[in-house]
Amino acid sequence: MESVEDLSLGPCTASQYLRPFRLRYRQNGISKIWDFMRSHDSVSILIFNTSRQCFVVVKQFRPAVYMCEMERKCPQNFERKKQETWNPLPNSLPASVGVTYELCAGIVDKPELSLEEIACREILEECGYEVPLATLKRITSYRSGVGVTGSKQTLFYAEVTDEMKASEGGGQPEEGELIEVVEIPLKDSMDFAYNESFPKTMGVIFSFMWFQTNVAPNLLEN
Ligand SMILES: O=c1ccn([C@@H]2O[C@H](COP(=O)(O)OP(=O)(O)O[C@H]3O[C@H](CO)[C@@H](O)[C@H](O)[C@H]3O)[C@@H](O)[C@H]2O)c(=O)[nH]1
Ligand SMILES: [Mg+2]
């Protein structure tokens, strides 16, 4: 996962994932503009393996995260002068600066499938567990990136056992996905959540805390 080579930065003129727009409007008599992007809604799933009392999360190279670090360390690479062409970038940063821990997640891009169906497919593709649709629990939904995309993410909870493991997971290689499945022991999970040396999404932190309030007390009783 951690070998990323031949980087070059180019313009994004047409994308099936992101479409930039500018909205002009008047609010309480004041004229404003706001730039935003349309992107897909998504689902994410907190997965807890009861056989081994651990959370199952994924680790991925995220180009957007990598390029944030690139801009911080080598801002000259983002200078606008030749933005209409592809500009080779120096391999100045290790790929690991762009790797994040995340909940298993996927974009909602199949109108014929329910959110639950999309979630179950993502669990199988990314983490390798067969989860029956009816056992999936909806936790809540929230808006992510409210300044930029405002897209909705719906969060589910899935309990799995070792017996439900059907494959290694790892994402769909034909779509270029390269995902590492990582287990976080329940006993270490709150330290992990707040340890900034493990870059992670808000979804991981929020859902681990949700588990502490809503699931962990019942586990202790059993
Ligand atoms: O510029 C892009 C964007 C996506 N993909 C592909 O699209 C798929 C997306 O994977 P999927 O697992 O469905 O989505 P995620 O990347 O996990 O979803 C993310 O995307 C959502 C919508 O942007 C975010 O809100 C989520 O938090 C985040 O997990 C992958 O196969 C990618 O290869 C590309 O090839 N190029
Ligand atoms: Mg995903």
Side-chain angles (χ1 to χ4, degrees):
M1 178 195 288
E2 314 220 343
S3 158
V4 171
E5 299 165 316
D6 272 344
L7 296 147
S8 79
L9 189 62
C12 179
T13 48
S15 165
Q16 67 184 103
Y17 303 106
L18 289 177
R19 288 180 297 137
F21 291 94
R22 172 166 295 179
L23 184 71
R24 256 199 319 238
Y25 59 104
R26 201 178 1 257
Q27 186 178 25
N28 296 345
I30 298 169
S31 294
K32 299 184 179 178
I33 59 162
W34 199 275
D35 296 338
F36 67 98
M37 303 222 212
R38 284 299 304 131
S39 73
H40 290 101
D41 286 343
S42 59
V43 294
S44 65
I45 311 100
L46 173 67
I47 304 172
F48 184 66
N49 181 318
T50 55
S51 309
R52 268 169 309 142
Q53 299 285 294
C54 64
F55 294 107
V56 180
V57 302
V58 297
K59 214 173 147 186
Q60 276 173 274
F61 174 74
R62 289 297 194 178
V65 175
Y66 183 82
M67 292 307 287
C68 281
E69 290 302 301
M70 177 77 83
E71 184 166 34
R72 208 162 61 82
K73 301 231 172 72
C74 321
Q76 68 280 7
N77 290 326
F78 278 88
E79 282 169 14
R80 298 182 68 88
K81 48 185 186 294
K82 281 192 285 174
Q83 229 185 27
E84 66 285 358
T85 58
W86 286 94
N87 291 305
L89 296 175
N91 245 11
S92 45
L93 289 178
S96 56
V97 305
V99 174
T100 56
Y101 292 85
E102 309 172 9
L103 295 179
C104 169
I107 57 176
V108 176
D109 59 352
K110 296 188 179 64
E112 70 280 11
L113 298 183
S114 68
L115 295 180
E116 287 77 5
E117 286 167 329
I118 293 174
C120 284
R121 286 186 182 201
E122 289 297 331
I123 298 171
L124 184 60
E125 284 168 17
E126 296 191 351
C127 301
Y129 290 93
E130 293 252 27
V131 170
L133 207 60
T135 66
L136 211 58
K137 179 184 163 69
R138 185 184 177 119
I139 299 178
T140 190
S141 66
Y142 40 81
R143 297 282 168 180
S144 61
V146 288
V148 182
T149 67
S151 53
K152 186 189 258 191
Q153 185 164 75
T154 306
L155 173 64
F156 292 94
Y157 173 62
E159 250 168 35
V160 301
T161 62
D162 284 346
E163 290 69 48
M164 290 156 78
K165 188 99 182 172
S167 71
E168 283 311 302
Q172 291 191 298
E174 64 277 16
E175 285 186 13
E177 276 187 319
L178 184 54
I179 290 170
E180 190 184 325
V181 183
V182 180
E183 297 186 341
I184 311 289
L186 174 58
K187 63 178 174 41
D188 303 334
S189 58
M190 291 319 288
D191 289 340
F192 172 82
Y194 287 102
N195 186 335
E196 292 179 57
S197 61
F198 299 112
K200 66 185 78 65
T201 59
M202 177 83 103
V204 172
I205 302 171
F206 166 70
S207 62
F208 281 17
M209 291 179 68
W210 173 87
F211 186 95
Q212 288 301 327
T213 313
N214 293 280
V215 184
N218 306 331
L219 289 176
L220 294 176
E221 283 165 20
N222 296 331

